[in-house]
Amino acid sequence: MAEEDDKTGIRLLQSLKGKICEAKHLLAYTGTTRTRDSFCTVNLDQEEVYRTKVVEKSLSPFYGEDYYFEIPRHFQCLAFYIYDKGVFQSIPIGKVAIMKEDLYKYNGKETWFSLQPVDSNSEVQGKVHLDLKLHEVITDNGSVQQLVVRIIECQGLPLINGQSCDPYATVSLVGPSRSDQKKTKVKKKTSNPHFDETFYFEVTRSSSYTRKSQFQVEEEDIEKLEIRVDLWNNINLVQDNFLGEIKVPVKILKNDSAFQAWYYLQPKDNVHKSSRPEDLGSLRLNICYSEDYVLSSQHYTPFRDLLLKSPEVKPISASAGHILGEACRENNDAMLPFVRLLLHHNKLVPFVTAVAELELRDTQEANTIFRGNSMATRCIDEMMKIVGKHYLKVTLKSIIDEICENSKPCEIDPIRLKEGDNLETNKENLRQYVDKIFHTIVDSSMSCPTLMCDVFYSLRQMSSKRFPNDPHVQYSAVSSFVFLRFFAVAVVSPHSFHLRPHHPDAQTSRTLTLISKTIQTLGSWGSLSKNKLSSFKESFMCDFFKLFQEDQCTELVKKFLDEISSAESRAPSCVEESLILKEGEVFKRAQGRKRIGKKNFKKRWLRLTNKELTYHRQQGKEALFSVPIRSIRGVERLSEDAFNRKNMYQVFHGEKILYIQANNCVEANEWVEIISRVSRCNQHRLNFYHPSAYNTNIWSCCSATAENAQGCTSCTAHAPADVQLDIDGDREVERIYSLFDTYFFRLNKMEEACARIAIYQGPEEQEDVSHFTIEESMQTFMTLKKIKEVVEKLRDLHETYSRKSLSSAKIGSEENPFGKKVS
C-alpha cells in the first residue's frame, strides 16, 4: 500500500527483503541447562511483522530464513529481536535496531550485528501533538504568568499483545523546586488517541505574593523549567506500561507567546546503562530496503515507450533492454523490473527470443547451451519465478508438505548415518519421495503456464537451428530451465517459493537436497550426456540412482518436454483442484454483536483458495463458514475507529460484511491484496463502500442513517487487464530509471566505446569496448543518447520534488517532528 502525496500525486512504495541468517554466542542460562530454544522476529518500530521458526537447544542457532514484504505504512526503525521461548512467555534476549535513514549502509550486504539489551522503558514509538501558550493573567494579588498546555493527540502508539492500548498522558511542569502533575482521561483501545485536553500552570508569582513555598518561582527561573508529557497504557494493575515521554523547555516561549508542534516520543532518560554492557551475542543479517518514489504516469511515457520498443530493435544489442543488462551486469536483480514491465505489456517472449538467439551465436558446444548467468537465462529465470508460482504450488506443495511434516530419515551417505539408522530403509524412503515428485512433474504439462510454454517452444526451435546435427539439444535447451532452474531449485528451497512458511530443519533440508540432486539428473536424460552416473561425485548417489529405470524415465521426460514446448495451440491451463493461496490466524468479528466488546472478536484460522474463503476454529478443523470467491463483491481496509482496533479489513459478500483483524500491518496488506486479486473480475462488484462501521443506527464515517445506504468512499480495486499478473507498470519503470541513474557512468563509457568503434574499425583492443556487446555502434549510440535524455529529465523531476519536500517539511510538523526517533 502506497503513501501518496496528495499535492503532487507522487507515491512512496517501500519494500524490505533479506535473510535472517544465524546468531552466535547467545547468553547462556546459568545452571545445568545452558542452551536455549530461540526464535527471531522482524519489527517495524514495535510491530512484529515476521517470525522465524524456533531453533531448539542452541546458543548459536541457524535460522536461514528469507523474508520479503511490502511495507504499507510509515516507519522510523527496523528491529530484529531474538527471543528465548518459554513455556508461558517468551523473553527477549537482545535486539538489533536500525534507524530507517541508516538502512542504506547495510543494503544488500551480510553483516554481523551485536545484540543490544531490551528494556521496557526504552521500547517506545509514536509522536505527540502539543500546543503551548504563555500569557499574563491579572489577579487580585497582581499579575501572574500562566502556562497553558494543550495535549491535542498522539499517533502511532504501539500495539500491546497485538491489540491497541488504553493510553493516557500525564502532563508535568518540572523545575529545580517544583513538580506539578496533571492527568488526561484514558482513551480506550486506540493507538491514535485524540485527547484535546488543556492544563494550566502558574510559572511566575506576582511581586505582591510573598509567601514562600515550593511553588515560589522567580521570573529568571523560567530558563530551568520544562514541560514533561509521559504516555502510559492503563492496565488497571499496580504499574501501568510506559509508552514514552517528551520534554519541552519553557524558554522556547520567551520570544513567542504561543508554540504548537509535533514531538517523537523518547525513552526514559534514567534508563540504566552499564559502562560495560553484557555480551548478549550477535546476529548475522542480510537487509535490502528499497524506496520507490513513483511519479505521475505521464512523466514515464517517453521512457516506457523506449523500453517497450526493445523487442523490435535490430540488432537486439542496441535496444534499451539489452543496454540495461549490459550497464548493470553485476546486479543480479537488474532485469527483474524490465521482465515485469514486458510481462505487463505482453512483450516478453519476443525479447527473450532475441537475446537467446544472440547468446546462441556465441555458443560453440551444444552441451554448454544456456549454462551461464547470461541476460537470456536471467530473464527466463525471473519470468518462471513470476509466472510459475501457481504452477509450483499445484505441482509440488502437497508433496513438500508431506516431506516436511513426516520427517522420515532419508540419509544415504554411510558416513552421515545416525546411530540406529537403517541404510536400506532410508534409501527406500528417499526413493519413494523422488518417485512421487518426478511423476508429479512429468504429469503436470497441462498446468504449465502458456507463457512458459511459448518461451520453451522458442528455445527449442532456436537450439535445433543452431545445432541441426544434434537431436538431443532441443530437449537439453528446455530441461536446463524447467528442471535445473525451476523445479530443482524450488525443491531445495521451498520457503523461497512460498511453498513452506519457514526454512526446513537440518534433516529435512538434507532430504530435499538429495531429492533435488536426483531430480536434476533425471530431468537431464533428454540431453546429450549418455552416462548420467558421471554427473554424481558421490558413490552413494550413483548407487541410489541405479534404483530408477533409465529407459522408462527417459521416455517420460521426453514426453513431458515435448508437451510443454509444443507449437500446438494451448488453452490457458485451468486447475480444477482447490489450491491454497494464503492462510493464517486472524481475529474475526462475530456477526450481529454490539459494536464494542471483547467477546465480539474470536481467534479463527482464515484460508483463501482459488475457489473460496473459509474460516475455521483451528487449523486443520472443518470450516465454520465459507464464502465462494465468485460472490465476493469487494475487500477494503477498515478505519481504526470502527471497532477501536488496528489492521482491520472488510470482505463484502452478498449483502453481508465479514470484519477481520490481521496480526500486523503487513499481514493486513497482503490479505487485502490477494483477496482483491482473485475477485477483481467478479460481477456486481461494489464501486463505493463505508470505511467505518454501522453503529447505533448510523454510519460513523458519513452519518448516513440507513444500514443499506450507498458507501461514501470509492473502492480502491479495479479490474486489471491481466488478473494473473498484477503488475504496477509505473513502479517498474521507476525502478529501471533508478538502475540507469545508479549506473549512469556506465552509459557514458558505452557511449565513448561506440564513438571509438565508429572511428576505429579495427580489432576491439580497448578494455572498455571489450566489456560491452556492441554490434551496431551508431544505433547503440542513438539509443544511449535517448536513455540519457529521459533519465536526466526524470532525475530533475525527482530533485524538484525533494527540494519541495524539504522546504515544506518544517521541523516540528507532523511529517518532521522534533526529537530523533530512538531505536
Side-chain angles (χ1 to χ4, degrees):
M1 191 174 294
E3 294 181 35
E4 186 165 343
D5 189 320
D6 294 333
K7 296 178 182 177
T8 62
I10 291 179
R11 295 178 292 146
L12 170 59
L13 298 167
Q14 308 169 96
S15 62
L16 184 72
K17 70 175 181 178
K19 188 171 188 175
I20 302 171
C21 304
E22 61 180 318
K24 65 180 181 182
H25 308 318
L26 296 181
L27 191 65
Y29 279 125
T30 56
T32 54
T33 306
R34 298 179 59 81
T35 58
R36 294 178 180 270
D37 298 343
S38 67
F39 62 90
C40 184
T41 67
V42 183
N43 292 51
L44 296 175
D45 298 320
Q46 298 300 307
E47 183 179 15
E48 180 185 317
V49 295
Y50 181 82
R51 178 181 294 201
T52 70
K53 64 178 183 180
V54 176
V55 178
E56 297 180 343
K57 299 178 181 179
S58 177
L59 296 178
S60 294
F62 179 80
Y63 301 109
E65 297 209 17
D66 299 296
Y67 58 88
Y68 172 82
F69 48 83
E70 297 289 322
I71 300 175
R73 64 170 176 84
H74 179 70
F75 75 101
Q76 296 294 322
C77 178
L78 174 68
F80 300 83
Y81 289 78
I82 292 184
Y83 285 88
D84 179 36
K85 183 172 176 57
V87 178
F88 301 107
Q89 185 179 11
S90 297
I91 300 170
I93 299 171
K95 69 174 181 178
V96 173
I98 309 169
M99 299 305 300
K100 179 180 176 181
E101 57 266 27
D102 294 329
L103 286 173
Y104 75 93
K105 298 176 184 177
Y106 312 103
N107 232 23
K109 297 181 289 188
E110 281 195 1
T111 308
W112 280 101
F113 295 90
S114 296
L115 292 175
Q116 302 301 314
V118 178
D119 186 289
S120 59
N121 287 331
S122 67
E123 302 294 298
V124 301
Q125 74 174 63
K127 53 190 177 182
V128 182
H129 193 193
L130 211 59
D131 183 22
L132 304 178
K133 292 179 182 176
L134 187 64
H135 56 78
E136 191 172 12
V137 177
I138 305 299
T139 69
D140 294 339
N141 295 321
S143 64
V144 175
Q145 280 200 305
Q146 191 177 60
L147 177 64
V148 183
V149 181
R150 177 176 165 235
I151 178 166
I152 304 171
E153 62 178 316
C154 296
Q155 288 185 6
L157 299 182
L159 298 177
I160 306 297
N161 297 324
Q163 303 297 324
S164 297
C165 53
D166 295 340
Y168 69 91
T170 58
V171 182
S172 307
L173 179 63
V174 181
S177 58
R178 69 184 294 175
S179 180
D180 294 350
Q181 186 179 93
K182 303 178 188 295
K183 178 181 171 183
T184 70
K185 295 176 182 177
V186 175
K187 298 295 181 180
K188 292 289 186 180
K189 301 298 179 188
T190 177
S191 296
N192 302 305
H194 191 82
F195 295 108
D196 199 14
E197 294 191 40
T198 304
F199 304 99
Y200 301 90
F201 300 90
E202 290 184 10
V203 296
T204 304
R205 295 288 177 174
S206 64
S207 58
S208 62
Y209 193 83
T210 57
R211 187 169 66 86
K212 298 290 185 180
S213 74
Q214 61 173 333
F215 301 110
Q216 183 68 33
V217 181
E218 300 295 337
E219 188 169 358
E220 58 267 19
D221 286 340
I222 287 179
E223 294 282 340
K224 300 177 182 178
L225 293 176
E226 66 180 10
I227 288 292
R228 192 179 76 197
V229 178
D230 294 83
L231 268 294
W232 301 86
N233 176 40
N234 180 44
I235 53 177
N236 296 318
L237 295 174
V238 177
Q239 182 66 49
D240 289 342
N241 287 340
F242 175 75
L243 299 178
E245 70 177 14
I246 64 167
K247 294 181 178 181
V248 184
V250 176
K251 64 184 179 182
I252 63 171
L253 296 170
K254 284 190 71 174
N255 300 321
D256 193 350
S257 60
F259 184 79
Q260 187 178 118
W262 285 85
Y263 292 85
Y264 280 127
L265 287 170
Q266 303 293 313
K268 280 187 177 178
D269 59 2
N270 61 348
V271 174
H272 176 68
K273 293 184 179 179
S274 173
S275 57
R276 295 185 63 187
E278 194 172 18
D279 185 6
L280 302 174
S282 53
L283 179 63
R284 182 162 62 95
L285 299 168
N286 185 298
I287 302 168
C288 188
Y289 168 71
S290 66
E291 284 183 341
D292 299 316
Y293 286 88
V294 183
L295 307 171
S296 298
S297 187
Q298 68 269 18
H299 295 303
Y300 295 113
T301 301
F303 194 25
R304 186 190 303 110
D305 292 345
L306 180 62
L307 292 165
L308 292 177
K309 286 179 181 176
S310 295
E312 304 160 18
V313 175
K314 306 290 183 185
I316 195 66
S317 60
S319 68
H322 194 277
I323 290 171
L324 173 67
E326 290 284 292
C328 314
R329 188 174 295 174
E330 65 270 30
N331 187 329
N332 291 329
D333 296 328
M335 297 308 294
L336 176 58
F338 184 63
V339 168
R340 289 175 64 85
L341 181 69
L342 292 181
L343 281 172
H344 187 58
H345 293 275
N346 199 28
K347 290 197 171 188
L348 180 66
V349 175
F351 180 79
V352 167
T353 301
V355 293
E357 192 172 20
L358 178 62
E359 180 179 337
L360 281 171
R361 282 186 226 153
D362 296 328
T363 304
Q364 302 304 317
E365 299 290 337
N367 60 355
T368 62
I369 191 168
F370 300 126
R371 289 291 178 90
N373 187 28
S374 64
M375 191 178 305
T377 57
R378 285 157 66 191
C379 285
I380 298 172
D381 284 350
E382 298 294 1
M383 177 273 294
M384 291 192 298
K385 288 177 186 175
I386 298 167
V387 177
K389 282 182 183 178
H390 182 87
Y391 181 32
L392 281 176
K393 286 185 177 180
V394 170
T395 310
L396 296 181
K397 190 175 189 319
S398 60
I399 306 174
I400 296 294
D401 286 343
E402 179 188 343
I403 294 168
C404 293
E405 290 163 12
N406 291 348
S407 297
K408 289 183 180 179
C410 295
E411 182 55 69
I412 58 174
D413 183 353
I415 299 174
R416 293 194 180 200
L417 285 177
K418 296 178 182 178
E419 187 176 349
D421 277 358
N422 184 290
L423 181 60
E424 293 305 315
T425 301
N426 290 5
K427 274 187 180 181
E428 179 58 21
N429 290 338
L430 184 62
R431 187 199 65 77
Q432 289 179 8
Y433 283 147
V434 170
D435 206 49
K436 275 187 180 181
I437 288 182
F438 175 74
H439 282 91
T440 301
I441 290 172
V442 296
D443 291 339
S444 70
S445 61
M446 292 307 296
S447 298
C448 186
T450 304
L451 189 65
M452 288 176 62
C453 295
D454 291 343
V455 171
F456 295 153
Y457 172 72
S458 294
L459 295 178
R460 183 173 178 174
Q461 297 303 307
M462 287 185 292
S463 303
S464 297
K465 186 177 178 182
R466 176 69 180 85
F467 298 101
N469 298 322
D470 190 323
H472 300 291
V473 72
Q474 59 178 319
Y475 297 111
S476 62
V478 178
S479 66
S480 64
F481 285 104
V482 74
F483 278 99
L484 182 64
R485 296 172 178 268
F486 186 59
F487 283 119
V489 178
V491 167
V492 81
S493 300
H495 57 293
S496 299
F497 290 82
H498 306 290
L499 298 176
R500 293 290 297 174
H502 298 295
H503 188 282
D505 58 45
Q507 178 180 308
T508 307
S509 290
R510 174 65 177 166
T511 298
L512 294 174
T513 299
L514 295 172
I515 294 171
S516 179
K517 283 184 176 183
T518 313
I519 292 296
Q520 286 181 42
T521 307
L522 285 171
S524 70
W525 277 6
S527 67
L528 286 172
S529 177
K530 294 180 181 178
N531 183 11
K532 302 301 167 242
L533 296 178
S534 64
S535 64
F536 294 115
K537 297 177 182 178
E538 307 96 337
S539 59
F540 64 85
M541 285 300 297
C542 293
D543 293 338
F544 174 68
F545 196 72
K546 293 174 183 176
L547 297 175
F548 297 91
Q549 298 179 17
E550 180 173 348
D551 293 339
Q552 182 182 352
C553 289
T554 300
E555 287 304 311
L556 289 172
V557 169
K558 181 176 180 295
K559 178 176 178 291
F560 171 67
L561 296 175
D562 280 334
E563 289 171 348
I564 64 171
S565 59
S566 170
E568 295 178 7
S569 175
R570 294 172 55 95
S573 58
C574 180
V575 183
E576 292 300 327
E577 64 268 29
S578 180
L579 174 68
I580 298 173
L581 302 177
K582 184 174 176 63
E583 59 181 341
E585 199 171 70
V586 300
F587 286 89
K588 186 198 73 69
R589 181 177 183 263
Q591 302 295 315
R593 296 277 189 173
K594 293 180 180 179
R595 177 171 173 262
I596 305 295
K598 199 168 185 179
K599 292 183 180 179
N600 289 353
F601 286 86
K602 294 187 176 180
K603 193 178 288 187
R604 292 289 182 253
W605 187 263
L606 191 65
R607 172 177 289 176
L608 176 70
T609 72
N610 54 333
K611 293 184 176 182
E612 61 183 356
L613 177 68
T614 58
Y615 61 81
H616 313 246
R617 195 177 301 280
Q618 292 176 335
Q619 184 180 10
K621 299 292 184 181
E622 290 294 319
L624 298 174
F625 190 74
S626 172
V627 179
I629 293 298
R630 64 179 179 275
S631 68
I632 294 177
R633 302 179 65 200
V635 55
E636 298 289 345
R637 295 298 294 266
L638 194 69
S639 64
E640 182 183 339
D641 61 9
F643 300 107
N644 287 337
R645 288 176 175 245
K646 296 186 76 171
N647 303 320
M648 287 202 66
Y649 57 97
Q650 48 189 331
V651 181
F652 304 94
H653 60 101
E655 299 301 320
K656 297 180 180 180
I657 304 175
L658 194 63
Y659 294 111
I660 301 169
Q661 182 187 24
N663 289 318
N664 56 62
C665 63
V666 171
E667 280 285 308
N669 189 54
E670 289 177 352
W671 274 113
V672 170
E673 288 291 329
I674 195 165
I675 296 173
S676 176
R677 192 175 303 163
V678 298
S679 63
R680 278 179 176 170
C681 287
N682 287 353
Q683 295 181 347
H684 310 299
R685 283 187 59 87
L686 294 177
N687 294 318
F688 298 93
Y689 76 103
H690 292 285
S692 193
Y694 185 74
N695 180 48
T696 60
N697 299 322
I698 193 170
W699 287 100
S700 56
C701 49
C702 61
S703 301
T705 55
E707 188 172 4
N708 61 352
Q710 186 181 29
C712 56
T713 305
S714 297
C715 290
T716 54
H718 303 284
D722 187 343
V723 177
Q724 286 185 321
L725 301 174
D726 190 17
I727 294 172
D728 186 340
D730 290 341
R731 185 181 193 180
E732 305 308 331
V733 178
E734 169 62 28
R735 286 177 167 174
I736 297 169
Y737 150 74
S738 297
L739 287 165
F740 273 132
D741 192 43
T742 302
Y743 292 94
F744 201 79
F745 70 95
R746 199 73 57 74
L747 299 180
N748 290 330
K749 284 189 175 182
M750 289 185 73
E751 205 172 48
E752 292 168 7
C754 289
R756 285 200 295 272
I757 292 172
I759 296 170
Y760 174 68
Q761 298 294 330
E764 296 180 1
E765 297 177 355
Q766 298 94 338
E767 185 179 351
D768 287 346
V769 176
S770 62
H771 284 173
F772 304 122
T773 302
I774 301 174
E775 296 176 282
E776 292 286 343
S777 58
M778 286 303 297
Q779 195 165 350
T780 305
F781 183 88
M782 294 303 296
T783 305
L784 284 163
K785 186 178 178 182
K786 291 176 183 176
I787 293 171
K788 289 175 66 176
E789 286 175 358
V790 293
V791 168
E792 286 168 347
K793 284 181 181 178
L794 289 171
R795 185 192 298 154
D796 289 342
L797 288 169
H798 280 285
E799 289 175 353
T800 301
Y801 172 71
S802 297
R803 286 194 298 270
K804 287 182 178 178
S805 298
L806 288 172
S807 61
S808 62
K810 180 183 175 184
I811 183 69
S813 65
E814 185 176 352
E815 298 79 17
N816 190 19
F818 281 109
K820 183 173 181 178
K821 177 71 172 65
V822 179
S823 60

